[in-house]
């Protein structure tokens, strides 16, 4: 009777694939934890850090920038937001002059480029 009751979802697989399936599932969970969205405080602190280091864009509304920045970073992990800010401040972003606060679109593009390998790996593992 014990053989008929599956202990987990992988018990239904052929025996030679079970361990690998468990390893893949663990890696997908690991990546999901890495990609968990950042807390609002982290996003706010990063926006303030950028505004404190760079000159504002001409005609920039700081409150509007904050709202848009929060929207752009809503689904980004905390470490990617911080790393993208570090990239801008260190001058590692190719098309950024280093004078003005990056636009929300530039920032989002940089942060998404940082996490792209993790999304690609997760997608490949799910297939």
């Amino acid at each position: 009777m014990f053989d008929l009751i599956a202990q987990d979802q992988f018990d239904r697989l052929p025996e030679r694939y079970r361990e690998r399936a468990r390893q893949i599932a663990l890696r997908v969970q690991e990546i999901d934890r890495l990609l968990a969205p950042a807390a609002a405080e982290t996003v706010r602190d990063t926006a303030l850090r950028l505004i404190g280091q760079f000159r504002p864009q001409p005609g920039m509304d700081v409150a509007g920038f904050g709202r848009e920045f929060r929207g752009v970073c809503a689904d980004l992990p905390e470490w990617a937001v911080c790393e993208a800010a570090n990239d801008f401040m260190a001058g590692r972003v190719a098309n950024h002059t280093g004078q003005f606060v990056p636009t929300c679109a530039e920032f989002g593009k940089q942060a998404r480029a940082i996490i792209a390998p993790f999304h690609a790996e997760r997608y490949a593992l799910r297939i």
Side-chain angles (χ1 to χ4, degrees):
M1 182 73 168
F2 181 75
D3 295 343
L4 298 177
I5 301 171
Q7 291 182 353
D8 63 20
Q9 63 186 356
F10 304 114
D11 285 344
R12 289 179 262 151
L13 292 172
E15 192 170 326
R16 64 181 178 181
Y17 298 121
R18 289 178 190 167
E19 186 58 34
R20 181 65 181 139
R22 286 185 181 100
Q23 291 171 352
I24 290 170
L26 285 174
R27 181 61 182 152
V28 168
Q29 290 173 352
E30 210 173 84
I31 292 170
D32 286 343
R33 281 192 303 274
L34 274 173
L35 297 176
E41 296 82 31
T42 302
V43 174
R44 183 194 67 229
D45 292 347
T46 303
L48 291 173
R49 201 169 132 210
L50 290 171
I51 290 172
Q53 293 296 317
F54 297 109
R55 293 190 295 177
Q57 295 277 351
M60 180 176 145
D61 171 32
V62 175
F65 173 78
R67 283 190 303 277
E68 290 300 319
F69 193 79
R70 193 174 338 127
V72 165
C73 296
D75 63 335
L76 294 171
E78 183 173 323
W79 62 271
V81 170
C82 293
E83 191 61 33
N86 290 341
D87 287 348
F88 277 102
M89 286 191 239
R92 292 188 293 252
V93 179
N95 291 328
H96 188 254
T97 64
Q99 289 185 357
F100 297 103
V101 175
T103 64
C104 295
E106 288 175 322
F107 189 86
K109 184 177 179 180
Q110 179 66 21
R112 284 176 190 2
I114 292 169
I115 63 172
F118 294 100
H119 279 291
E121 181 184 358
R122 189 169 120 225
Y123 178 74
L125 289 173
R126 290 208 181 260
I127 291 176

